[in-house]
Amino acid sequence: MKILGDYLRQLQTTRNASPHTIAAYRRDIAEFVRRVFDSKEDFDDWKQVDADAARRFVMALHEAGDSKRSMQRKTSAMRSFFRYLVQQGIVAANPFLKLAPIKSDKPLPMVMNISEIERLLQAIPSYWNEALAQKLAKTPESAEFAKLRDTALTEVIYSGGMRISEAMTLNLGDLDLAQGVALVRGKGKKERLCALGAPAKAALMQYYKVRKHYADRDQNAPVFVNHFGERLTPRSFQRKLKNYLLAANLPVDLTPHKLRHSFATHLLDAGADLRSVQEMLGHESLSTTQIYTHVSAERMKNVYKKAHPRAK
């Protein structure tokens, strides 16, 4: 591959490319020749490389299981090489310019399964009971308050699929426990109704019994308050959540937003339609909600691979 050697030397002299970069380009171009032209090590007839050959390379990478990032890097190397060939007059056109862009995979949202949600909810009272045993809490009353408040807050976020900021802006007048709904103000101050399941309502009723000692019961007063009767901040709860996750032996990088992800995924797993989940999450576009169908499908495939005798 004399032409390839010339190209790699040009990279080193004019672009001051590192040995690592040059080696990567050599590997990627050699892989193209191997996959598309059947391992012809002495290949140097670049004029026969057309758009169809470029597409066959992408297909071969896909079938080999390359990640989108790897495919992007390898096609970029080929595009750069053919740019050099065009400049040198060796070929008339760059066939890799005709390829459709390879879009990066969006990372799927991290979700908790139902048993992990249960473990988290059980860990909140356990944490405060242990804190009292070790005298880490100021008073038994404040520990009871924090325990009931954070249990209710976790239940509300998961039950309604709320953002942490939405839960924190709830006022007492926004909740209708009899109907089991909460009026939520989302992004752009758009309002929607979120469901409050039986566990969430029960947790709120228990929390209200101690909340009255810390804050007034005016309809415009915040639902979730700190020990001073002021509205609880998202950051305050996020810090406490890490303690509860540790107590539950769960990953500490789980956040309140993962409860919202879990809400959507569990609904879809149970057969809820995508449009309804979109409305419950307050998404303007259905495409935003569709990411959860990928999560649900991925979970299904994992279960299938583990359980089906003919999966492998």
mmCIF file of all heavy atoms in Angstrom, residues 71-118:
data_model
loop_
_atom_site.group_PDB
_atom_site.id
_atom_site.type_symbol
_atom_site.label_atom_id
_atom_site.label_comp_id
_atom_site.label_asym_id
_atom_site.label_seq_id
_atom_site.Cartn_x
_atom_site.Cartn_y
_atom_site.Cartn_z
ATOM 1 N N MET A 71 -17.815 3.159 14.653
ATOM 2 C CA MET A 71 -18.136 3.311 13.231
ATOM 3 C C MET A 71 -17.892 4.740 12.771
ATOM 4 O O MET A 71 -17.398 4.975 11.653
ATOM 5 C CB MET A 71 -19.592 2.902 12.995
ATOM 6 C CG MET A 71 -19.832 1.410 13.205
ATOM 7 S SD MET A 71 -21.590 0.980 13.328
ATOM 8 C CE MET A 71 -22.141 1.367 11.663
ATOM 9 N N GLN A 72 -18.222 5.711 13.621
ATOM 10 C CA GLN A 72 -17.974 7.112 13.275
ATOM 11 C C GLN A 72 -16.487 7.370 13.084
ATOM 12 O O GLN A 72 -16.068 8.055 12.144
ATOM 13 C CB GLN A 72 -18.526 8.019 14.375
ATOM 14 C CG GLN A 72 -20.035 8.122 14.408
ATOM 15 C CD GLN A 72 -20.513 8.878 15.631
ATOM 16 O OE1 GLN A 72 -19.839 8.918 16.661
ATOM 17 N NE2 GLN A 72 -21.682 9.473 15.543
ATOM 18 N N ARG A 73 -15.666 6.805 13.990
ATOM 19 C CA ARG A 73 -14.226 7.031 13.904
ATOM 20 C C ARG A 73 -13.636 6.421 12.644
ATOM 21 O O ARG A 73 -12.825 7.035 11.946
ATOM 22 C CB ARG A 73 -13.535 6.427 15.136
ATOM 23 C CG ARG A 73 -12.065 6.849 15.282
ATOM 24 C CD ARG A 73 -11.271 5.972 16.209
ATOM 25 N NE ARG A 73 -10.946 4.695 15.581
ATOM 26 C CZ ARG A 73 -11.364 3.518 16.037
ATOM 27 N NH1 ARG A 73 -12.126 3.450 17.106
ATOM 28 N NH2 ARG A 73 -11.029 2.393 15.415
ATOM 29 N N LYS A 74 -14.057 5.196 12.321
ATOM 30 C CA LYS A 74 -13.492 4.501 11.161
ATOM 31 C C LYS A 74 -13.917 5.147 9.846
ATOM 32 O O LYS A 74 -13.110 5.268 8.921
ATOM 33 C CB LYS A 74 -13.879 3.028 11.208
ATOM 34 C CG LYS A 74 -13.206 2.279 12.359
ATOM 35 C CD LYS A 74 -13.697 0.850 12.498
ATOM 36 C CE LYS A 74 -13.033 0.174 13.693
ATOM 37 N NZ LYS A 74 -13.494 -1.226 13.881
ATOM 38 N N THR A 75 -15.153 5.549 9.740
ATOM 39 C CA THR A 75 -15.584 6.224 8.502
ATOM 40 C C THR A 75 -14.956 7.607 8.397
ATOM 41 O O THR A 75 -14.690 8.092 7.299
ATOM 42 C CB THR A 75 -17.113 6.335 8.432
ATOM 43 O OG1 THR A 75 -17.611 6.955 9.625
ATOM 44 C CG2 THR A 75 -17.760 4.959 8.288
ATOM 45 N N SER A 76 -14.697 8.250 9.534
ATOM 46 C CA SER A 76 -14.003 9.539 9.512
ATOM 47 C C SER A 76 -12.575 9.370 9.001
ATOM 48 O O SER A 76 -12.067 10.202 8.229
ATOM 49 C CB SER A 76 -13.991 10.150 10.915
ATOM 50 O OG SER A 76 -13.230 11.339 10.942
ATOM 51 N N ALA A 77 -11.925 8.289 9.421
ATOM 52 C CA ALA A 77 -10.566 8.011 8.943
ATOM 53 C C ALA A 77 -10.568 7.803 7.428
ATOM 54 O O ALA A 77 -9.698 8.308 6.711
ATOM 55 C CB ALA A 77 -10.003 6.784 9.656
ATOM 56 N N MET A 78 -11.569 7.066 6.925
ATOM 57 C CA MET A 78 -11.656 6.832 5.484
ATOM 58 C C MET A 78 -11.974 8.117 4.724
ATOM 59 O O MET A 78 -11.433 8.367 3.637
ATOM 60 C CB MET A 78 -12.726 5.778 5.188
ATOM 61 C CG MET A 78 -12.407 4.392 5.728
ATOM 62 S SD MET A 78 -10.814 3.755 5.148
ATOM 63 C CE MET A 78 -11.019 3.828 3.374
ATOM 64 N N ARG A 79 -12.822 8.944 5.296
ATOM 65 C CA ARG A 79 -13.168 10.217 4.656
ATOM 66 C C ARG A 79 -11.931 11.103 4.548
ATOM 67 O O ARG A 79 -11.683 11.747 3.514
ATOM 68 C CB ARG A 79 -14.279 10.899 5.466
ATOM 69 C CG ARG A 79 -14.969 12.021 4.746
ATOM 70 C CD ARG A 79 -16.323 12.337 5.371
ATOM 71 N NE ARG A 79 -16.290 12.400 6.808
ATOM 72 C CZ ARG A 79 -16.916 11.531 7.607
ATOM 73 N NH1 ARG A 79 -17.628 10.545 7.104
ATOM 74 N NH2 ARG A 79 -16.839 11.646 8.917
ATOM 75 N N SER A 80 -11.133 11.135 5.608
ATOM 76 C CA SER A 80 -9.911 11.944 5.613
ATOM 77 C C SER A 80 -8.904 11.411 4.596
ATOM 78 O O SER A 80 -8.258 12.183 3.862
ATOM 79 C CB SER A 80 -9.306 11.930 7.015
ATOM 80 O OG SER A 80 -8.090 12.632 7.045
ATOM 81 N N PHE A 81 -8.786 10.088 4.516
ATOM 82 C CA PHE A 81 -7.852 9.478 3.573
ATOM 83 C C PHE A 81 -8.242 9.797 2.130
ATOM 84 O O PHE A 81 -7.404 10.176 1.303
ATOM 85 C CB PHE A 81 -7.822 7.967 3.803
ATOM 86 C CG PHE A 81 -6.967 7.201 2.824
ATOM 87 C CD1 PHE A 81 -5.666 7.604 2.538
ATOM 88 C CD2 PHE A 81 -7.464 6.070 2.195
ATOM 89 C CE1 PHE A 81 -4.873 6.892 1.639
ATOM 90 C CE2 PHE A 81 -6.684 5.356 1.294
ATOM 91 C CZ PHE A 81 -5.389 5.765 1.015
ATOM 92 N N PHE A 82 -9.537 9.699 1.826
ATOM 93 C CA PHE A 82 -9.983 9.970 0.458
ATOM 94 C C PHE A 82 -9.938 11.465 0.140
ATOM 95 O O PHE A 82 -9.817 11.835 -1.036
ATOM 96 C CB PHE A 82 -11.367 9.382 0.223
ATOM 97 C CG PHE A 82 -11.306 7.983 -0.313
ATOM 98 C CD1 PHE A 82 -11.219 6.915 0.551
ATOM 99 C CD2 PHE A 82 -11.273 7.742 -1.675
ATOM 100 C CE1 PHE A 82 -11.124 5.619 0.074
ATOM 101 C CE2 PHE A 82 -11.181 6.457 -2.176
ATOM 102 C CZ PHE A 82 -11.107 5.383 -1.299
ATOM 103 N N ARG A 83 -10.000 12.304 1.142
ATOM 104 C CA ARG A 83 -9.807 13.727 0.895
ATOM 105 C C ARG A 83 -8.389 13.960 0.379
ATOM 106 O O ARG A 83 -8.160 14.751 -0.553
ATOM 107 C CB ARG A 83 -10.052 14.518 2.183
ATOM 108 C CG ARG A 83 -10.053 16.031 1.980
ATOM 109 C CD ARG A 83 -10.248 16.763 3.301
ATOM 110 N NE ARG A 83 -11.470 16.352 3.980
ATOM 111 C CZ ARG A 83 -11.516 15.790 5.181
ATOM 112 N NH1 ARG A 83 -10.390 15.576 5.858
ATOM 113 N NH2 ARG A 83 -12.653 15.442 5.714
ATOM 114 N N TYR A 84 -7.436 13.255 0.987
ATOM 115 C CA TYR A 84 -6.039 13.326 0.540
ATOM 116 C C TYR A 84 -5.909 12.794 -0.892
ATOM 117 O O TYR A 84 -5.218 13.396 -1.744
ATOM 118 C CB TYR A 84 -5.162 12.518 1.499
ATOM 119 C CG TYR A 84 -3.782 12.207 0.980
ATOM 120 C CD1 TYR A 84 -2.760 13.157 1.034
ATOM 121 C CD2 TYR A 84 -3.495 10.963 0.429
ATOM 122 C CE1 TYR A 84 -1.488 12.868 0.553
ATOM 123 C CE2 TYR A 84 -2.221 10.665 -0.052
ATOM 124 C CZ TYR A 84 -1.225 11.620 0.008
ATOM 125 O OH TYR A 84 0.040 11.338 -0.463
ATOM 126 N N LEU A 85 -6.596 11.678 -1.199
ATOM 127 C CA LEU A 85 -6.511 11.089 -2.536
ATOM 128 C C LEU A 85 -7.065 12.036 -3.602
ATOM 129 O O LEU A 85 -6.529 12.120 -4.708
ATOM 130 C CB LEU A 85 -7.264 9.755 -2.571
ATOM 131 C CG LEU A 85 -6.734 8.636 -1.665
ATOM 132 C CD1 LEU A 85 -7.569 7.364 -1.842
ATOM 133 C CD2 LEU A 85 -5.265 8.359 -1.933
ATOM 134 N N VAL A 86 -8.140 12.747 -3.256
ATOM 135 C CA VAL A 86 -8.712 13.718 -4.195
ATOM 136 C C VAL A 86 -7.721 14.863 -4.425
ATOM 137 O O VAL A 86 -7.506 15.311 -5.558
ATOM 138 C CB VAL A 86 -10.072 14.249 -3.673
ATOM 139 C CG1 VAL A 86 -10.549 15.417 -4.535
ATOM 140 C CG2 VAL A 86 -11.115 13.133 -3.664
ATOM 141 N N GLN A 87 -7.115 15.351 -3.326
ATOM 142 C CA GLN A 87 -6.150 16.449 -3.437
ATOM 143 C C GLN A 87 -4.951 16.066 -4.294
ATOM 144 O O GLN A 87 -4.395 16.898 -5.021
ATOM 145 C CB GLN A 87 -5.690 16.859 -2.036
ATOM 146 C CG GLN A 87 -6.766 17.528 -1.208
ATOM 147 C CD GLN A 87 -6.345 17.710 0.249
ATOM 148 O OE1 GLN A 87 -5.314 17.179 0.684
ATOM 149 N NE2 GLN A 87 -7.146 18.463 1.002
ATOM 150 N N GLN A 88 -4.569 14.782 -4.226
ATOM 151 C CA GLN A 88 -3.410 14.306 -4.998
ATOM 152 C C GLN A 88 -3.779 13.922 -6.427
ATOM 153 O O GLN A 88 -2.907 13.546 -7.204
ATOM 154 C CB GLN A 88 -2.785 13.096 -4.287
ATOM 155 C CG GLN A 88 -2.238 13.394 -2.909
ATOM 156 C CD GLN A 88 -1.138 14.426 -2.931
ATOM 157 O OE1 GLN A 88 -0.189 14.334 -3.732
ATOM 158 N NE2 GLN A 88 -1.238 15.432 -2.070
ATOM 159 N N GLY A 89 -5.057 14.007 -6.759
ATOM 160 C CA GLY A 89 -5.494 13.653 -8.102
ATOM 161 C C GLY A 89 -5.533 12.162 -8.350
ATOM 162 O O GLY A 89 -5.601 11.716 -9.511
ATOM 163 N N ILE A 90 -5.500 11.371 -7.309
ATOM 164 C CA ILE A 90 -5.493 9.910 -7.461
ATOM 165 C C ILE A 90 -6.897 9.395 -7.744
ATOM 166 O O ILE A 90 -7.086 8.450 -8.507
ATOM 167 C CB ILE A 90 -4.903 9.254 -6.192
ATOM 168 C CG1 ILE A 90 -3.443 9.704 -6.026
ATOM 169 C CG2 ILE A 90 -5.017 7.731 -6.241
ATOM 170 C CD1 ILE A 90 -2.816 9.305 -4.705
ATOM 171 N N VAL A 91 -7.906 10.013 -7.108
ATOM 172 C CA VAL A 91 -9.310 9.668 -7.371
ATOM 173 C C VAL A 91 -10.051 10.965 -7.684
ATOM 174 O O VAL A 91 -9.607 12.065 -7.317
ATOM 175 C CB VAL A 91 -9.974 8.932 -6.179
ATOM 176 C CG1 VAL A 91 -9.255 7.624 -5.873
ATOM 177 C CG2 VAL A 91 -10.013 9.828 -4.948
ATOM 178 N N ALA A 92 -11.204 10.810 -8.327
ATOM 179 C CA ALA A 92 -11.967 11.997 -8.746
ATOM 180 C C ALA A 92 -12.889 12.517 -7.656
ATOM 181 O O ALA A 92 -13.170 13.713 -7.591
ATOM 182 C CB ALA A 92 -12.780 11.669 -10.004
ATOM 183 N N ALA A 93 -13.387 11.617 -6.790
ATOM 184 C CA ALA A 93 -14.366 12.038 -5.782
ATOM 185 C C ALA A 93 -14.178 11.228 -4.507
ATOM 186 O O ALA A 93 -13.561 10.157 -4.507
ATOM 187 C CB ALA A 93 -15.792 11.864 -6.322
ATOM 188 N N ASN A 94 -14.704 11.773 -3.437
ATOM 189 C CA ASN A 94 -14.619 11.124 -2.120
ATOM 190 C C ASN A 94 -15.909 10.341 -1.876
ATOM 191 O O ASN A 94 -16.946 10.933 -1.574
ATOM 192 C CB ASN A 94 -14.416 12.184 -1.040
ATOM 193 C CG ASN A 94 -14.137 11.577 0.328
ATOM 194 O OD1 ASN A 94 -14.459 10.426 0.588
ATOM 195 N ND2 ASN A 94 -13.548 12.377 1.206
ATOM 196 N N PRO A 95 -15.907 9.014 -1.980
ATOM 197 C CA PRO A 95 -17.137 8.235 -1.834
ATOM 198 C C PRO A 95 -17.704 8.269 -0.423
ATOM 199 O O PRO A 95 -18.894 8.016 -0.226
ATOM 200 C CB PRO A 95 -16.706 6.816 -2.216
ATOM 201 C CG PRO A 95 -15.240 6.777 -1.935
ATOM 202 C CD PRO A 95 -14.743 8.154 -2.244
ATOM 203 N N PHE A 96 -16.883 8.594 0.557
ATOM 204 C CA PHE A 96 -17.355 8.589 1.949
ATOM 205 C C PHE A 96 -18.137 9.851 2.294
ATOM 206 O O PHE A 96 -18.758 9.913 3.350
ATOM 207 C CB PHE A 96 -16.174 8.385 2.907
ATOM 208 C CG PHE A 96 -15.726 6.958 2.951
ATOM 209 C CD1 PHE A 96 -14.826 6.476 2.009
ATOM 210 C CD2 PHE A 96 -16.232 6.075 3.899
ATOM 211 C CE1 PHE A 96 -14.426 5.152 2.023
ATOM 212 C CE2 PHE A 96 -15.840 4.756 3.922
ATOM 213 C CZ PHE A 96 -14.938 4.282 2.987
ATOM 214 N N LEU A 97 -18.118 10.830 1.385
ATOM 215 C CA LEU A 97 -18.942 12.017 1.609
ATOM 216 C C LEU A 97 -20.413 11.725 1.338
ATOM 217 O O LEU A 97 -21.293 12.482 1.762
ATOM 218 C CB LEU A 97 -18.468 13.160 0.705
ATOM 219 C CG LEU A 97 -17.093 13.754 1.026
ATOM 220 C CD1 LEU A 97 -16.743 14.832 0.007
ATOM 221 C CD2 LEU A 97 -17.064 14.328 2.439
ATOM 222 N N LYS A 98 -20.687 10.631 0.629
ATOM 223 C CA LYS A 98 -22.064 10.295 0.273
ATOM 224 C C LYS A 98 -22.764 9.448 1.335
ATOM 225 O O LYS A 98 -23.950 9.152 1.217
ATOM 226 C CB LYS A 98 -22.091 9.566 -1.072
ATOM 227 C CG LYS A 98 -21.566 10.416 -2.231
ATOM 228 C CD LYS A 98 -21.619 9.654 -3.549
ATOM 229 C CE LYS A 98 -21.093 10.517 -4.694
ATOM 230 N NZ LYS A 98 -21.145 9.788 -5.987
ATOM 231 N N LEU A 99 -22.020 9.043 2.358
ATOM 232 C CA LEU A 99 -22.626 8.232 3.418
ATOM 233 C C LEU A 99 -23.555 9.075 4.279
ATOM 234 O O LEU A 99 -23.250 10.237 4.586
ATOM 235 C CB LEU A 99 -21.546 7.630 4.317
ATOM 236 C CG LEU A 99 -20.722 6.464 3.764
ATOM 237 C CD1 LEU A 99 -19.684 6.054 4.798
ATOM 238 C CD2 LEU A 99 -21.616 5.294 3.408
ATOM 239 N N ALA A 100 -24.665 8.490 4.685
ATOM 240 C CA ALA A 100 -25.542 9.167 5.640
ATOM 241 C C ALA A 100 -24.819 9.241 6.985
ATOM 242 O O ALA A 100 -24.078 8.318 7.348
ATOM 243 C CB ALA A 100 -26.850 8.398 5.788
ATOM 244 N N PRO A 101 -24.990 10.345 7.721
ATOM 245 C CA PRO A 101 -24.318 10.466 9.018
ATOM 246 C C PRO A 101 -24.702 9.323 9.952
ATOM 247 O O PRO A 101 -25.861 8.896 9.984
ATOM 248 C CB PRO A 101 -24.826 11.813 9.557
ATOM 249 C CG PRO A 101 -25.312 12.553 8.359
ATOM 250 C CD PRO A 101 -25.818 11.523 7.398
ATOM 251 N N ILE A 102 -23.718 8.823 10.686
ATOM 252 C CA ILE A 102 -23.971 7.781 11.680
ATOM 253 C C ILE A 102 -24.257 8.478 13.005
ATOM 254 O O ILE A 102 -23.362 9.075 13.604
ATOM 255 C CB ILE A 102 -22.769 6.838 11.810
ATOM 256 C CG1 ILE A 102 -22.479 6.169 10.465
ATOM 257 C CG2 ILE A 102 -23.019 5.793 12.890
ATOM 258 C CD1 ILE A 102 -21.188 5.380 10.436
ATOM 259 N N LYS A 103 -25.498 8.424 13.422
ATOM 260 C CA LYS A 103 -25.888 9.123 14.643
ATOM 261 C C LYS A 103 -25.478 8.329 15.866
ATOM 262 O O LYS A 103 -25.634 7.107 15.904
ATOM 263 C CB LYS A 103 -27.396 9.376 14.658
ATOM 264 C CG LYS A 103 -27.871 10.305 13.542
ATOM 265 C CD LYS A 103 -29.368 10.547 13.628
ATOM 266 C CE LYS A 103 -29.831 11.489 12.523
ATOM 267 N NZ LYS A 103 -31.298 11.722 12.580
ATOM 268 N N SER A 104 -24.964 9.025 16.856
ATOM 269 C CA SER A 104 -24.560 8.370 18.097
ATOM 270 C C SER A 104 -25.775 7.839 18.830
ATOM 271 O O SER A 104 -26.860 8.436 18.791
ATOM 272 C CB SER A 104 -23.805 9.346 18.999
ATOM 273 O OG SER A 104 -22.635 9.802 18.369
ATOM 274 N N ASP A 105 -25.581 6.716 19.494
ATOM 275 C CA ASP A 105 -26.651 6.186 20.326
ATOM 276 C C ASP A 105 -26.856 7.089 21.526
ATOM 277 O O ASP A 105 -25.889 7.481 22.195
ATOM 278 C CB ASP A 105 -26.302 4.776 20.831
ATOM 279 C CG ASP A 105 -26.346 3.749 19.716
ATOM 280 O OD1 ASP A 105 -27.219 3.888 18.850
ATOM 281 O OD2 ASP A 105 -25.505 2.831 19.728
ATOM 282 N N LYS A 106 -28.122 7.412 21.799
ATOM 283 C CA LYS A 106 -28.407 8.148 23.018
ATOM 284 C C LYS A 106 -28.381 7.176 24.187
ATOM 285 O O LYS A 106 -28.958 6.091 24.102
ATOM 286 C CB LYS A 106 -29.781 8.822 22.932
ATOM 287 C CG LYS A 106 -29.843 9.973 21.949
ATOM 288 C CD LYS A 106 -31.204 10.653 22.002
ATOM 289 C CE LYS A 106 -31.250 11.850 21.065
ATOM 290 N NZ LYS A 106 -32.561 12.522 21.099
ATOM 291 N N PRO A 107 -27.712 7.543 25.270
ATOM 292 C CA PRO A 107 -27.699 6.619 26.412
ATOM 293 C C PRO A 107 -29.110 6.414 26.946
ATOM 294 O O PRO A 107 -29.874 7.367 27.083
ATOM 295 C CB PRO A 107 -26.808 7.337 27.435
ATOM 296 C CG PRO A 107 -26.811 8.782 27.026
ATOM 297 C CD PRO A 107 -26.981 8.785 25.535
ATOM 298 N N LEU A 108 -29.443 5.178 27.208
ATOM 299 C CA LEU A 108 -30.770 4.895 27.741
ATOM 300 C C LEU A 108 -30.854 5.348 29.194
ATOM 301 O O LEU A 108 -29.890 5.230 29.948
ATOM 302 C CB LEU A 108 -31.064 3.393 27.647
ATOM 303 C CG LEU A 108 -31.145 2.813 26.234
ATOM 304 C CD1 LEU A 108 -31.403 1.318 26.303
ATOM 305 C CD2 LEU A 108 -32.220 3.504 25.418
ATOM 306 N N PRO A 109 -32.003 5.866 29.610
ATOM 307 C CA PRO A 109 -32.150 6.292 31.000
ATOM 308 C C PRO A 109 -31.947 5.133 31.962
ATOM 309 O O PRO A 109 -32.381 4.005 31.694
ATOM 310 C CB PRO A 109 -33.599 6.807 31.065
ATOM 311 C CG PRO A 109 -33.999 7.052 29.656
ATOM 312 C CD PRO A 109 -33.222 6.088 28.812
ATOM 313 N N MET A 110 -31.256 5.399 33.059
ATOM 314 C CA MET A 110 -31.092 4.383 34.092
ATOM 315 C C MET A 110 -32.390 4.288 34.893
ATOM 316 O O MET A 110 -32.934 5.300 35.322
ATOM 317 C CB MET A 110 -29.931 4.760 35.030
ATOM 318 C CG MET A 110 -29.618 3.700 36.081
ATOM 319 S SD MET A 110 -28.375 4.288 37.266
ATOM 320 C CE MET A 110 -26.980 4.563 36.185
ATOM 321 N N VAL A 111 -32.882 3.087 35.068
ATOM 322 C CA VAL A 111 -34.120 2.904 35.821
ATOM 323 C C VAL A 111 -33.901 1.919 36.950
ATOM 324 O O VAL A 111 -32.972 1.110 36.933
ATOM 325 C CB VAL A 111 -35.278 2.417 34.922
ATOM 326 C CG1 VAL A 111 -35.546 3.393 33.796
ATOM 327 C CG2 VAL A 111 -34.984 1.030 34.366
ATOM 328 N N MET A 112 -34.770 1.997 37.942
ATOM 329 C CA MET A 112 -34.769 1.058 39.051
ATOM 330 C C MET A 112 -35.895 0.057 38.819
ATOM 331 O O MET A 112 -36.965 0.427 38.341
ATOM 332 C CB MET A 112 -34.980 1.798 40.374
ATOM 333 C CG MET A 112 -33.956 2.881 40.631
ATOM 334 S SD MET A 112 -34.410 3.989 42.000
ATOM 335 C CE MET A 112 -34.235 2.882 43.398
ATOM 336 N N ASN A 113 -35.648 -1.205 39.156
ATOM 337 C CA ASN A 113 -36.748 -2.149 39.058
ATOM 338 C C ASN A 113 -37.646 -2.018 40.298
ATOM 339 O O ASN A 113 -37.316 -1.292 41.248
ATOM 340 C CB ASN A 113 -36.242 -3.587 38.857
ATOM 341 C CG ASN A 113 -35.355 -4.060 40.000
ATOM 342 O OD1 ASN A 113 -35.639 -3.791 41.172
ATOM 343 N ND2 ASN A 113 -34.294 -4.777 39.674
ATOM 344 N N ILE A 114 -38.754 -2.712 40.290
ATOM 345 C CA ILE A 114 -39.747 -2.537 41.359
ATOM 346 C C ILE A 114 -39.194 -2.951 42.715
ATOM 347 O O ILE A 114 -39.435 -2.283 43.727
ATOM 348 C CB ILE A 114 -41.027 -3.323 41.012
ATOM 349 C CG1 ILE A 114 -41.662 -2.743 39.745
ATOM 350 C CG2 ILE A 114 -42.031 -3.275 42.172
ATOM 351 C CD1 ILE A 114 -42.821 -3.539 39.213
ATOM 352 N N SER A 115 -38.416 -4.015 42.742
ATOM 353 C CA SER A 115 -37.857 -4.456 44.026
ATOM 354 C C SER A 115 -36.863 -3.431 44.570
ATOM 355 O O SER A 115 -36.759 -3.247 45.800
ATOM 356 C CB SER A 115 -37.178 -5.816 43.872
ATOM 357 O OG SER A 115 -36.052 -5.734 43.014
ATOM 358 N N GLU A 116 -36.137 -2.737 43.681
ATOM 359 C CA GLU A 116 -35.203 -1.696 44.137
ATOM 360 C C GLU A 116 -35.958 -0.486 44.686
ATOM 361 O O GLU A 116 -35.496 0.141 45.661
ATOM 362 C CB GLU A 116 -34.284 -1.291 42.993
ATOM 363 C CG GLU A 116 -33.270 -2.364 42.621
ATOM 364 C CD GLU A 116 -32.485 -2.033 41.371
ATOM 365 O OE1 GLU A 116 -33.008 -1.299 40.511
ATOM 366 O OE2 GLU A 116 -31.339 -2.522 41.237
ATOM 367 N N ILE A 117 -37.095 -0.163 44.083
ATOM 368 C CA ILE A 117 -37.938 0.914 44.625
ATOM 369 C C ILE A 117 -38.384 0.551 46.037
ATOM 370 O O ILE A 117 -38.337 1.379 46.961
ATOM 371 C CB ILE A 117 -39.173 1.144 43.720
ATOM 372 C CG1 ILE A 117 -38.764 1.603 42.313
ATOM 373 C CG2 ILE A 117 -40.126 2.144 44.367
ATOM 374 C CD1 ILE A 117 -38.329 3.022 42.190
ATOM 375 N N GLU A 118 -38.801 -0.698 46.221
ATOM 376 C CA GLU A 118 -39.250 -1.154 47.541
ATOM 377 C C GLU A 118 -38.111 -1.088 48.555
ATOM 378 O O GLU A 118 -38.304 -0.665 49.700
ATOM 379 C CB GLU A 118 -39.786 -2.587 47.455
ATOM 380 C CG GLU A 118 -41.045 -2.740 46.619
ATOM 381 C CD GLU A 118 -42.251 -2.080 47.275
ATOM 382 O OE1 GLU A 118 -42.202 -1.777 48.480
ATOM 383 O OE2 GLU A 118 -43.260 -1.858 46.576
#
